[in-house]
Amino acid sequence: MPTTEHIDLPLEGMTCASCAARIERKLNKVEGVEASVNYALERASVSYDAALVEPGQLVDAVEQAGYHASLPSRSAVDEASPGDPEEDGDLHALRRRLIVAAVLSVPVAAISMVPPLQFDYWQWVTLALATP
């Protein structure tokens, strides 16, 4: 009976969707491996038969395709705890970006949609507000 395990490999060196497809094909050629590569996240989600394949072989397969992969650190393998400081930092950064985007988009929408608020060169002001 196969013992299926799962691992998410961080990938480096992909420049397009065909790179992701190339890595996915290379991983799926390894016996006992079923892989899916996400170009946007730069990750390979791999299910493999632990009796046939070791995680190091997965990294070697990616490197044979001409890209770089690494095994996730032990802390990344464990589920992130709710109080994980790294996760809190990421969440804080995303929340701050959301607030800034909301604050800057309200005047853009108001100036663009309400003709009495439009003044000379208002398009430049909306461009400046929308750029960040």
Side-chain angles (χ1 to χ4, degrees):
M1 179 175 198
T3 55
T4 303
E5 295 201 22
H6 181 81
I7 191 170
D8 286 329
L9 295 175
L11 302 172
E12 294 177 13
M14 292 190 299
T15 58
C16 60
S18 67
C19 296
R22 189 174 301 123
I23 293 170
E24 190 170 318
R25 278 194 307 273
K26 190 71 167 177
L27 284 170
N28 284 324
K29 284 183 181 179
V30 177
E31 186 179 349
V33 173
E34 185 177 325
S36 174
V37 175
N38 187 323
Y39 169 63
L41 296 177
E42 295 185 329
R43 291 204 173 276
S45 178
V46 183
S47 295
Y48 63 97
D49 184 355
L52 298 174
V53 181
E54 293 183 16
Q57 291 174 294
L58 301 172
V59 172
D60 291 341
V62 171
E63 293 190 355
Q64 286 175 0
Y67 304 93
H68 181 70
S70 58
L71 294 174
S73 64
R74 188 67 200 150
S75 63
V77 172
D78 295 334
E79 290 296 321
S81 62
D84 187 12
E86 183 177 326
E87 184 179 300
D88 290 344
D90 292 343
L91 185 60
H92 179 69
L94 285 174
R95 183 175 293 131
R96 182 180 29 177
R97 289 177 66 186
L98 174 67
I99 291 169
V100 168
V103 167
L104 293 177
S105 66
V106 169
V108 169
I111 293 171
S112 299
M113 299 178 105
V114 181
L117 296 178
Q118 295 174 357
F119 48 88
D120 291 337
Y121 305 110
W122 65 270
Q123 298 93 341
W124 293 106
V125 173
T126 58
L127 175 67
L129 290 171
T131 300

